[in-house]
Amino acid sequence: MDLTALRTAHPEHWMKAAAIRALTLDAVAAANSGHSGMPMGMADVATVLFTNHLNFDPAAPHWANRDRFILSAGHGSMLLYALLHLTGYEDFPLEQIKNFRQWGARTAGHPEFGHGRGIEVTTGPLGQGIANSVGFAIAEEIQRATWGTAIVNHHTYVMAGDGCLMEGISQEAIGLAGMQELSHLIVFFDDNDITIDGKVSIADKTNQMERFAASGWHVQAIDGHNPEEIEAAIVAAKADKRPSMIACKTHIALGHAAQDTSKGHGALTDADQMKAAKAAYGWTAGAFEVPADIKAQWEATAERGKTARAEWQARVEKLSAAKQAEFARAQGGEAPKKLAATIRAFKKQASEEAKSVATRKSSENVLAVINPIMPETIGGSADLTGSNNTKTADMGVFTPDNRKGRYIHYGIREHGMAAAMNGMALHGGARAYGGTFMCFTDYARGAMRLSALMGVPAVYVMTHDSIGLGEDGPTHQPVEHLSMLRATPNTHVFRPADSVETAEAWELALTADTTPSVLALSRQNLPTVRKVHTNKNMTAQGGYVLADAEGKRQVILIATGSEVEIALKAREALQAEGIGTRVVSMPCMDIFLAQDEATRRKVLPAGPVRVAIEAGVRQSWDMILMGERGNAKKAAFVGMEGFGASAPAEVLYEKFGITAENVVAQAKNLL
């Protein structure tokens, strides 16, 4: 490729792009690790986007109406870090670039949300970023319709590579975005034809243009190194009413000896080759040096955004004080003040009525009182609305014809749904929840893990939480999933026993700031176990004494969800024999284990034998059974040891020994 011609045709653009390339080479060489090729290949696209289109203000990085830039191909993180440094973001001074991939630096190997202002989302697991972007765009559409274009009107721009588009989650995202006609979503496809193992053709021959077009996208193909073509493509994309994909034909590791090879994907650290590449760019500055005139040109790109932000702020200030406060509340992720009182009233009614209700239905009943007072909630289901009970009457369905709708039919796209929920939450002004069967957390797992890693308070409504779903059989019966989810750091797994605990779990989930929540809900009806109302949110303790021993305390039964009922029946039988038995409901093990030692010991004192009951595998229970001076010889678990089977729920519980009779036998055997 004739770099001299490119330099000559567009000298100012070229040198601004060269600054990205040079900083990338220097940072990767200093770290002796990283991915040089993608930033070097996409520098021209990024330069045109930031110079001419992206509205951002480094002095106000969380400005609500900024354009969002998502680097889905997160391994090319130096592209983002270079842009943030060059445009003047306070969190990315040159020292951060010099410490790329080092301990304590904001410039981690892949962009990490929360490490530095300007990073919109954690990317690295390929395909997640483009799927997150669908959530960003949905949140923008709903808020634009709700608040008007004077307050909300911005674009989401994404850079994705071949790897992102090969991952299955990308098709879920592309199909959803096309169907929803998300016109403010623009994806740049880094079409460099290279993967780590070699040419893309060794693993894939998909025509990406036709693929996107088939899903309802506006598509274009351009030379990704020609600023005039890049500019024209962005203008055309913004003018179209469909989401847009711009296929940018680029050269990975442009100008380097490794250009257009798989070696160009990774770390390019050879000193002589770096020197030659910089010479080809016409770059004469030293390592980590950006000439003052080029740095000034980059910083000037933020002026458009600063002006737009000031004008936007003036429009916001014309709103009534009440509307300004409501907008700020939702954008800040703060729950409405009336939420607590609403939950208390629901709990009181549920305790008094004491109905037998499946907790999936309890969840729907809770949402029916929450959604009207929290207009920022955005719900949905992966084609299981009637089973997950996630839609309430007031929401309306989000469609191209109804942008104020707050309920999304995601289709059979569990992974795409979870990633979109992350995007909505990260966008701001939205509280996202979505449902599927709990067994299909397997399908959503990648995005759920990123919810926890990023500290995104998404709410996963996972129904049909055990063998209790019955005849659908072991393919649909989760047994290991509670333990798998509990093993994930920074995730609250709630398994409520009745409507009261379900309401408490929802209150905690919707007031969480940095923790995602999983609500594991039953298909089968469960009795109300909390028949005496208390204003206190007992689930906020994680585990609590539901029924205490009468007489000398000899046994503690600990259960969650549908098995709390079994524990209470076992207690009756044991107490009838004069064996003092306490029942502890443990709706959220994660929260209980985070309590101080005194609180935990008060609930689970040393001495009595312990039996845990849960229709799942034992794995996550040993800290409860044997922690706080528990004793392995005085502990037992009643639950699953393998997969379930196809039969009515009551038969399965009997056949697998999850019965009050077995609990009694296990407890007596330990005494």
Side-chain angles (χ1 to χ4, degrees):
M1 188 169 193
D2 187 355
L3 300 190
T4 301
L6 288 175
R7 286 163 48 189
T8 303
H10 306 281
E12 181 175 315
H13 161 87
W14 176 262
M15 294 311 292
K16 286 170 67 177
I20 297 172
R21 295 177 172 118
L23 286 173
T24 295
L25 286 168
D26 292 338
V28 171
N32 199 32
S33 73
H35 299 79
S36 311
M38 184 271 178
M40 296 164 72
M42 286 296 281
D44 293 302
V45 176
T47 299
V48 174
L49 175 64
F50 272 67
T51 299
N52 299 340
H53 295 277
L54 196 77
N55 282 325
F56 65 100
D57 183 356
H62 300 306
W63 165 37
N65 200 40
R66 68 192 181 279
D67 289 331
R68 271 63 168 185
F69 175 68
I70 297 171
L71 186 67
S72 187
H75 56 274
S77 58
M78 264 310 303
L79 175 70
L80 178 58
Y81 301 148
L83 288 164
L84 295 175
H85 167 68
L86 291 167
T87 54
Y89 279 79
E90 185 179 352
D91 283 351
F92 292 91
L94 190 59
E95 200 63 25
Q96 288 292 329
I97 306 300
K98 290 180 178 179
N99 283 288
F100 178 54
R101 287 184 160 229
Q102 303 309 300
W103 175 262
R106 298 188 183 101
T107 47
H110 294 83
E112 302 282 351
F113 173 75
H115 281 208
R117 289 167 293 183
I119 300 173
E120 299 284 2
V121 59
T122 295
T123 55
L126 294 176
Q128 290 291 333
I130 189 173
N132 296 149
S133 74
V134 176
F136 276 87
I138 288 173
E140 192 272 342
E141 290 278 1
I142 292 173
Q143 290 172 36
R144 177 156 36 95
T146 302
W147 291 95
T149 57
I151 306 301
V152 179
N153 188 17
H154 54 264
H155 284 78
T156 299
Y157 297 97
V158 187
M159 284 191 178
D162 294 291
C164 292
L165 301 189
M166 283 191 221
E167 291 286 359
I169 190 174
S170 71
Q171 184 55 41
E172 296 184 25
I174 293 163
L176 180 61
M179 187 278 296
Q180 290 289 2
E181 299 177 15
L182 303 178
S183 63
H184 284 206
L185 175 60
I186 297 175
V187 173
F188 300 98
F189 166 35
D190 180 16
D191 186 11
N192 61 35
D193 198 35
I194 294 294
T195 66
I196 293 175
D197 281 355
K199 291 281 189 181
V200 168
S201 58
I202 68 173
D204 190 52
K205 62 177 182 179
T206 302
N207 184 316
Q208 298 294 352
M209 298 281 290
E210 293 182 0
R211 176 191 177 201
F212 276 79
S215 292
W217 287 59
H218 172 240
V219 296
Q220 302 173 79
I222 63 169
D223 177 351
H225 300 298
N226 184 322
E228 293 177 350
E229 290 191 26
I230 298 167
E231 170 66 16
I234 297 173
V235 170
K238 291 168 74 173
D240 201 275
K241 294 182 179 180
R242 295 166 290 178
S244 286
M245 186 274 264
I246 303 171
C248 308
K249 196 63 183 175
T250 60
H251 295 273
I252 198 167
L254 180 74
H256 191 278
Q259 177 181 312
D260 298 329
T261 70
S262 58
K263 180 176 172 54
H265 173 89
L268 304 178
T269 59
D270 181 272
D272 290 337
Q273 291 180 350
M274 285 175 56
K275 183 178 179 180
K278 288 183 178 181
Y281 301 153
W283 190 263
T284 58
F288 294 108
E289 290 182 6
V290 178
D293 61 329
I294 297 174
K295 184 68 163 67
Q297 290 167 11
W298 266 114
E299 291 180 353
T301 64
E303 292 303 316
R304 179 184 60 259
K306 290 179 180 179
T307 300
R309 184 182 68 83
E311 294 171 347
W312 173 83
Q313 187 63 44
R315 294 193 297 272
V316 169
E317 290 172 358
K318 291 180 180 179
L319 297 174
S320 68
K323 285 188 176 181
Q324 288 187 55
E326 177 65 7
F327 184 77
R329 180 195 67 76
Q331 290 294 321
E334 180 183 347
K337 292 179 180 179
K338 62 177 72 173
L339 176 64
T342 301
I343 294 295
R344 286 196 298 269
F346 179 94
K347 286 168 54 180
K348 188 173 188 297
Q349 182 178 355
S351 293
E352 291 172 350
E353 293 179 349
K355 292 181 178 179
S356 182
V357 184
T359 51
R360 61 170 175 159
K361 181 63 177 178
S362 300
S363 173
E364 180 184 22
N365 294 338
V366 177
L367 287 170
V369 299
I370 287 174
N371 282 333
I373 67 167
M374 290 190 72
E376 67 269 31
T377 56
I378 302 176
S381 171
D383 199 52
L384 290 166
T385 296
S387 294
N388 299 147
N389 297 83
T390 41
K391 184 177 183 292
T392 58
D394 62 299
M395 300 188 84
V397 176
F398 177 77
T399 68
D401 298 321
N402 182 22
R403 290 315 202 194
K404 290 185 179 181
R406 293 159 50 207
Y407 191 81
I408 299 169
H409 290 294
Y410 286 102
I412 304 89
R413 299 183 177 106
E414 296 88 354
H415 202 178
M417 174 182 73
M421 287 163 56
N422 283 339
M424 290 176 212
L426 289 166
H427 176 278
R431 281 277 181 175
Y433 70 86
T436 185
F437 286 179
M438 188 165 179
C439 197
F440 303 141
T441 53
D442 287 337
Y443 288 163
R445 168 69 178 155
M448 294 177 74
R449 181 175 185 270
L450 284 171
S451 298
L453 181 62
M454 291 187 285
V456 171
V459 185
Y460 296 97
V461 183
M462 299 302 182
T463 68
H464 297 61
D465 68 341
S466 73
I467 60 170
L469 70 86
E471 292 87 343
D472 274 342
T475 58
H476 285 54
Q477 293 168 2
V479 292
E480 74 274 29
H481 298 75
L482 286 166
S483 289
M484 177 266 286
L485 291 165
R486 288 171 181 151
T488 306
N490 191 40
T491 299
H492 287 163
V493 182
F494 296 99
R495 192 166 186 248
D498 64 3
S499 293
V500 177
E501 285 190 356
T502 303
E504 292 179 338
W506 266 112
E507 181 180 21
L508 295 170
L510 292 174
T511 54
D513 293 323
T514 58
T515 304
S517 299
V518 178
L519 272 62
L521 306 173
S522 73
R523 176 181 184 266
Q524 71 273 36
N525 288 344
L526 304 180
T528 298
V529 298
R530 290 268 294 279
K531 296 180 181 179
V532 178
H533 173 66
T534 175
N535 283 336
K536 183 178 180 180
N537 187 320
M538 300 302 295
T539 299
Q541 189 174 300
Y544 62 94
V545 178
L546 179 62
D548 214 344
E550 298 173 11
K552 182 182 178 182
R553 185 170 55 232
Q554 299 180 67
V555 176
I556 301 177
L557 305 179
I558 316 153
T560 73
S562 48
E563 287 70 70
V564 173
E565 170 190 9
I566 294 172
L568 290 170
K569 289 179 180 177
R571 175 185 175 275
E572 289 181 15
L574 289 164
Q575 286 288 167
E577 297 187 37
I579 301 171
T581 303
R582 166 182 285 187
V583 172
V584 171
S585 180
M586 188 72 66
C588 188
M589 189 184 294
D590 316 282
I591 292 178
F592 180 76
L593 291 172
Q595 301 297 313
D596 61 82
E597 184 177 342
T599 299
R600 297 196 306 270
R601 286 191 175 184
K602 188 175 181 180
V603 176
L604 297 176
V609 302
R610 300 178 185 181
V611 181
I613 312 113
E614 186 171 74
V617 297
R618 172 171 174 152
Q619 189 169 7
S620 56
W621 277 97
D622 283 344
M623 290 182 70
I624 299 295
L625 290 173
M626 290 177 279
E628 311 301 346
R629 295 188 295 174
N631 187 330
K633 294 181 180 179
K634 298 175 68 176
F637 178 74
V638 174
M640 299 295 291
E641 295 180 357
F643 294 110
S646 178
E650 60 274 16
V651 174
L652 293 170
Y653 271 81
E654 179 185 355
K655 294 296 185 182
F656 287 112
I658 307 176
T659 63
E661 292 77 13
N662 190 29
V663 173
V664 169
Q666 293 291 336
K668 292 171 70 174
N669 186 54
L670 293 171
L671 291 172

